[in-house]
Amino acid sequence: NRRSRDELPLRKATLRAPGGTLQAEMLWDSYGNRVRQVHFSGDYFVQPRRAIVDLEAALRNVHLNDVDGIIAGLFEKQSVDGFGLQPEHFATVVRMAAKDA
């Protein structure tokens, strides 16, 4: 798929979770049901700090069905402490953004 970035809609979602407010902005490819690029922001803490950058990189060009496993694997591999935020919160906000119309 060689669709230009201009053809991919920007989708946004916000989730209030026990560990803070999590926002996702992503370029969404509805034709392939893929996350092309995602950026997380909001009012939360995560250790190690690099985990969010690694998570955003791991979620580039992935099918929506693979998001849960990728996030859970990264949390486990890097021993991420989300201070109340769990892998499922990140996966939920990505799925919410994908459904944003």
Side-chain angles (χ1 to χ4, degrees), residues 57-94:
L59 292 175
R60 288 186 68 116
N61 298 316
V62 299
H63 195 275
L64 189 61
N65 293 341
D66 298 331
V67 167
D68 291 271
I70 291 169
I71 294 172
L74 187 123
F75 264 66
E76 184 178 324
K77 180 180 177 185
Q78 291 190 5
S79 300
V80 175
D81 184 357
F83 298 95
L85 284 179
Q86 300 298 317
E88 56 268 16
H89 295 127
F90 285 88
T92 298
V93 77
V94 169

Side-chain angles (χ1 to χ4, degrees), residues 16-58:
R16 295 187 194 281
T21 302
L22 181 61
Q23 298 170 345
E25 293 182 345
M26 70 178 187
L27 291 176
W28 175 246
D29 181 3
S30 57
Y31 177 76
N33 209 27
R34 291 185 169 277
V35 176
R36 289 297 179 190
Q37 185 175 347
V38 65
H39 173 73
F40 294 107
S41 61
D43 184 22
Y44 61 88
F45 294 101
V46 172
Q47 286 293 333
R49 289 190 293 175
R50 171 151 191 90
I52 296 299
V53 175
D54 292 341
L55 183 57
E56 291 170 349

